[in-house]
Amino acid sequence: MTETDNQLLNRILFEGIKEMVMVIGVRENEELYYEYINRAAMERTWLTEEAIGRPLREVESPEKFEFFRLNHLHVIHTKREFHYEDSYEMENGEMYYSSVRLVPMLNEEGQVTHIVIHAHDMTAMKKAERDLAKSQEKLHETEDQFRIIANHSQDLIAILDNYGKVEYISPSCSDSLGFSKEEIMARPFPYFIHPQDLSGLVDAFTDSLRQQKHFKVKYRMRNKWNEWIWFEIYGSPVFNEQHRINRIVAIARDITVDKRSEEQLRYFAYHDMLSDLWNRRAFYEHLADALQREQYRREGLALLLLDIDRFKWINDQNGHDIGDQVIAEFSKRLKGAVRRMDTVARFGGDEFAVLLPAVGSREDAFAVAESIRQAIAKPWVFTDRCLLVTTSIGLAVAEGDMTDDELIKQADVALYEAKESGRDCCKG
């Protein structure tokens, strides 16, 4: 990745993502330290750039540090994402509420080296929930007050009967969805809900009625231009004088921007930026999943490890810009030479890997490798120069109860043999 690419990525993370993003480094003794803090996190907390590189125990109060430590140790030991809600008082005396997601980053040995913190601002949502709870208690006495709140809210506020029919929706629907109140109330509510989200929303609504409890769910809603907008809805049952539920009051907040931020973070975690291929972490997950399936024993599973021959020489003689172009073009040719079902990844540098499910036999795997070799060997023409680029390939076929490490080691040995045999060939 060029310096310009790194600068762009840093700007996206530091300035482009408006939610708080921090990266916690994990040392061998499980000591935690701040490695990255974006601008949103600095603006909403008292953290500054001086905290970067320092252990959490030196930066946070003992109570806060212990809370952080327990949550992060849970992620380190389980190697899984962890979600929790947090709150603290800001310098202006106001309370800040957030939904925090801890995402582990693993090295090649499967150890957690970093934890990405994504804190979603829930302050407005919490305020709306409190306002809604207060309004709900007095709804049968002060319905006019509720309508005043609803009519001036930027969130969607709706009242539904026990059958899910919309009895009232706030005027903000025209800003959020483009529909008028009359247009929404004239159609069945499921018309506006994404088919994949409808059952989950109905289940949450039904459980709320049956168990007399609040519910919260994320779903997509159709706007007037047939686009799907992400919302998070908070619903609460309303009781009549006989203490029976006669309607549901719901607040729906547009979270489309949050979803895009999550997708960006997920993309960065599993993709190589220069080649636009899967990265090492994603490939290992695909490989582990493939080896656990009984299907591979019937249909075959093969692994290819590839190096660009003499890539260091290409870089040194032509400069890193040409080197980056070679990586990008190599990735494009590699993807074009395999099947859509195959998994292609860049491990870093000039190291690549291809996972071949349902490959049939070793001979079939060699045929795929040969098509890759021929695709790479075709002329490489740049604006002011032509290059000869070839690849060495190591092949391994999964057999019996072989582990992912054993399969990769076998392919790595075959790759070494290919290089020793003069390069531009496949061994295995």
Side-chain angles (χ1 to χ4, degrees), residues 308-319 387-388:
I308 301 176
D309 294 332
R310 302 179 180 86
F311 180 70
K312 184 178 184 303
W313 181 88
I314 293 174
N315 239 348
D316 293 344
Q317 293 296 314
N318 299 276
L387 295 177
L388 175 63

Side-chain angles (χ1 to χ4, degrees), residues 295-302 356-361 397-398:
Q295 182 181 1
Y296 97 79
R297 292 182 173 82
R298 300 192 306 270
E299 301 179 355
L301 179 69
L356 305 174
V359 73
S361 64
V397 176

Side-chain angles (χ1 to χ4, degrees), residues 180-217:
S180 66
K181 293 192 299 181
E182 292 73 21
E183 287 175 312
I184 290 181
M185 296 178 69
R187 289 181 179 270
F189 196 61
Y191 168 81
F192 300 97
I193 308 303
H194 194 287
Q196 295 178 2
D197 304 329
L198 182 59
S199 62
L201 188 59
V202 170
D203 289 345
F205 184 88
T206 304
D207 288 345
S208 178
L209 292 174
R210 184 171 58 249
Q211 301 180 27
Q212 301 185 3
K213 65 176 185 179
H214 308 306
F215 72 89
K216 185 188 296 184
V217 65

Side-chain angles (χ1 to χ4, degrees), residues 63-335:
E63 296 79 13
K64 201 71 173 176
F65 168 72
E66 186 62 19
F67 175 76
F68 284 159
R69 188 182 72 86
L70 291 176
N71 288 337
H72 284 69
L73 286 179
H74 176 79
V75 174
I76 293 170
H77 295 156
T78 63
K79 300 179 182 178
R80 293 182 178 180
E81 290 188 13
F82 181 65
H83 300 250
Y84 66 93
E85 290 188 1
D86 194 13
S87 64
Y88 60 87
E89 186 175 353
M90 296 189 294
E91 290 183 354
N92 61 9
E94 296 181 357
M95 290 299 297
Y96 176 85
Y97 298 88
S98 62
S99 175
V100 182
R101 182 161 62 101
L102 306 182
V103 182
M105 306 294 289
L106 282 65
N107 61 15
E108 299 176 15
E109 291 75 34
Q111 298 173 328
V112 177
T113 60
H114 298 83
I115 297 174
V116 179
I117 302 176
H118 179 210
H120 166 61
D121 186 356
M122 295 182 62
T123 305
M125 187 72 170
K126 287 292 185 181
K127 183 180 184 300
E129 290 176 5
R130 292 195 302 271
D131 292 343
L132 178 59
K134 293 177 181 178
S135 298
Q136 177 191 325
E137 294 173 357
K138 300 179 180 179
L139 186 59
H140 62 284
E141 300 175 351
T142 58
E143 191 172 14
D144 288 342
Q145 181 183 9
F146 167 78
R147 291 185 182 276
I148 291 173
I149 295 173
N151 289 342
H152 292 84
S153 173
Q154 293 182 346
D155 294 331
L156 284 176
I157 299 181
I159 300 176
L160 300 90
D161 66 15
N162 289 359
Y163 301 98
K165 180 182 177 181
V166 179
E167 294 184 346
Y168 168 83
I169 190 163
S170 59
S172 56
C173 63
S174 59
D175 293 329
S176 300
L177 300 171
F179 293 110
S180 66
K181 293 192 299 181
E182 292 73 21
E183 287 175 312
I184 290 181
M185 296 178 69
R187 289 181 179 270
F189 196 61
Y191 168 81
F192 300 97
I193 308 303
H194 194 287
Q196 295 178 2
D197 304 329
L198 182 59
S199 62
L201 188 59
V202 170
D203 289 345
F205 184 88
T206 304
D207 288 345
S208 178
L209 292 174
R210 184 171 58 249
Q211 301 180 27
Q212 301 185 3
K213 65 176 185 179
H214 308 306
F215 72 89
K216 185 188 296 184
V217 65
K218 297 177 182 179
Y219 68 101
R220 284 160 288 184
M221 204 166 178
R222 184 199 308 271
N223 67 12
K224 196 166 188 175
W225 302 275
N226 284 322
E227 301 167 331
W228 294 107
I229 309 300
W230 275 101
F231 283 90
E232 182 175 60
I233 188 171
Y234 175 84
S236 178
V238 178
F239 299 88
N240 59 19
E241 294 180 355
Q242 289 74 39
H243 301 288
R244 293 179 181 177
I245 298 174
N246 63 353
R247 52 171 67 97
I248 291 282
V249 178
I251 297 177
R253 182 176 61 88
D254 187 339
I255 59 169
T256 304
V257 174
D258 303 337
K259 278 290 183 180
R260 288 173 182 167
S261 297
E262 289 180 12
E263 291 170 1
Q264 284 181 326
L265 288 172
R266 191 177 299 112
Y267 180 86
F268 294 150
Y270 285 96
H271 284 81
D272 174 68
M273 296 295 292
L274 178 58
S275 65
D276 200 32
L277 299 176
W278 295 110
N279 60 18
R280 184 189 294 267
R281 175 190 179 187
F283 186 84
Y284 270 73
E285 291 186 10
H286 281 280
L287 177 57
D289 180 64
L291 287 172
Q292 290 175 359
R293 297 184 181 183
E294 187 67 27
Q295 182 181 1
Y296 97 79
R297 292 182 173 82
R298 300 192 306 270
E299 301 179 355
L301 179 69
L303 170 65
L304 305 178
L305 293 184
L306 307 90
D307 276 358
I308 301 176
D309 294 332
R310 302 179 180 86
F311 180 70
K312 184 178 184 303
W313 181 88
I314 293 174
N315 239 348
D316 293 344
Q317 293 296 314
N318 299 276
H320 291 291
D321 286 344
I322 293 295
D324 286 350
Q325 292 181 49
V326 169
I327 292 291
E329 178 64 20
F330 187 94
S331 305
K332 181 179 177 181
R333 295 190 185 193
L334 182 56
K335 284 198 70 173

Side-chain angles (χ1 to χ4, degrees), residues 343-357:
T343 301
V344 182
R346 180 187 178 213
F347 280 3
D350 65 323
E351 300 177 26
F352 294 81
V354 180
L355 187 62
L356 305 174

Side-chain angles (χ1 to χ4, degrees), residues 34 37 41-43 45-54 59:
Y34 283 109
I37 306 170
M42 292 184 186
E43 290 176 349
T45 69
W46 53 270
L47 293 172
T48 66
E49 292 184 356
E50 295 179 358
I52 296 176
R54 294 178 59 192
V59 178

